[in-house]
Amino acid sequence: EGLSAAGLPHDALQLVEDTTRASANELMQARGLVDLLIPRGGAGLIRACVDNAAVPVLETGTGICHIYVDRWADLDMALDIVENAKCSRPSVCNAAEVCLVERRAAEKFLPMLRERLVNRFSHPVELRLDPEAAKIIDGAPAGPEDFDTEFLDYILAVKVVDSLEEAVGHIAAHSTGHSEAIVTGDERAAHAFLTRVDSAAVYWNASTRFTDGGEFGLGC
């Protein structure tokens, strides 16, 4: 109806109602009919399209999203932001998978984080801790792959860093370039993070869950 009202052909937009894997495979193989395939979904779907499609594919990204809690952060705000980013919907690409905490905030913040996320009434979060974080709170030790994994679950990797520079370096080495956030009350630290982190969306005192067409006012 919207297309017709705008003077465009009514059938310019098509909806495929068969959502089976067979239907997806037909689209992947529809050479001469499909000019471009843009898979939106989990890592398995994206990999299947990249590996099997006979038509051009625009590979969309998975999300290993980071939240960095700076020493100048409002820690109550940081708790709210991390909980939203991790727990509001953990199975999506804009959910946070890694929390980096500056050492000077870690002694106070990490026990607060554990209390908030591990002792949740529903869906407690498993914290996977680097050796420095494990000196402060209890949790599972982080394995070699945990800072390179999109968990899509109630799991959060936690690392203590010495500085903003180390946080930015860690993100550069491990991020998929989706969304990252800094929580800080220091404007200079915020702008340093915003200008040096190379991801599609970079936030100051906001959740990575804002990376969404609806939130941006752009539609799906």
Side-chain angles (χ1 to χ4, degrees):
E1 290 174 359
L3 289 167
S4 296
L8 296 171
H10 185 273
D11 60 356
L13 178 66
Q14 298 285 331
L15 177 65
V16 179
E17 297 190 37
D18 177 359
T19 59
T20 64
R21 184 170 297 177
S23 168
N25 287 335
E26 282 191 56
L27 282 174
M28 293 181 208
Q29 301 298 322
R31 188 187 281 114
L33 297 173
V34 173
D35 296 315
L36 179 64
L37 187 64
I38 307 175
R40 291 287 291 123
L45 171 67
I46 294 166
R47 176 50 49 197
C49 290
V50 171
D51 288 346
N52 300 314
V55 301
V57 174
L58 180 64
E59 182 179 359
T60 56
T62 54
I64 300 178
C65 303
H66 297 73
I67 294 180
Y68 169 52
V69 180
D70 180 67
R71 62 174 166 144
W72 303 113
D74 177 324
L75 299 186
D76 290 325
M77 177 195 290
L79 281 179
D80 289 342
I81 288 173
V82 174
E83 183 178 30
N84 176 271
K86 177 73 268 182
C87 302
S88 61
R89 195 176 169 202
S91 62
V92 292
C93 59
N94 60 12
E97 305 291 13
V98 178
C99 181
L100 304 173
V101 184
E102 188 177 350
R103 187 176 301 278
R104 284 166 285 189
E107 287 284 347
K108 186 173 181 180
F109 180 70
L110 288 180
M112 296 168 65
L113 183 71
R114 188 180 190 283
E115 176 66 24
R116 175 70 71 91
L117 297 189
V118 175
N119 296 330
R120 284 165 51 85
F121 178 72
S122 62
H123 302 299
V125 176
E126 177 186 338
L127 300 180
R128 297 192 182 175
L129 311 175
D130 84 324
E132 294 304 307
K135 294 176 182 177
I136 301 172
I137 58 173
D138 293 330
E145 304 301 321
D146 283 330
F147 291 99
D148 295 295
T149 298
E150 187 182 28
F151 297 114
L152 303 175
D153 200 352
Y154 291 96
I155 301 170
L156 182 68
V158 180
K159 179 178 176 63
V160 175
V161 296
D162 287 328
S163 63
L164 184 144
E165 288 72 23
E166 185 180 350
V168 170
H170 178 94
I171 292 169
H174 299 274
S175 171
T176 55
H178 194 294
S179 302
E180 329 295 346
I182 181 173
V183 185
T184 184
D186 180 23
E187 186 173 349
R188 289 176 299 177
H191 282 294
F193 187 89
L194 296 174
T195 55
R196 294 171 58 189
V197 171
D198 183 19
S199 290
V202 188
Y203 297 100
W204 175 15
N205 292 345
S207 169
T208 56
R209 292 279 285 119
F210 275 100
T211 307
D212 176 79
E215 295 291 346
F216 288 163
L218 302 174
C220 62

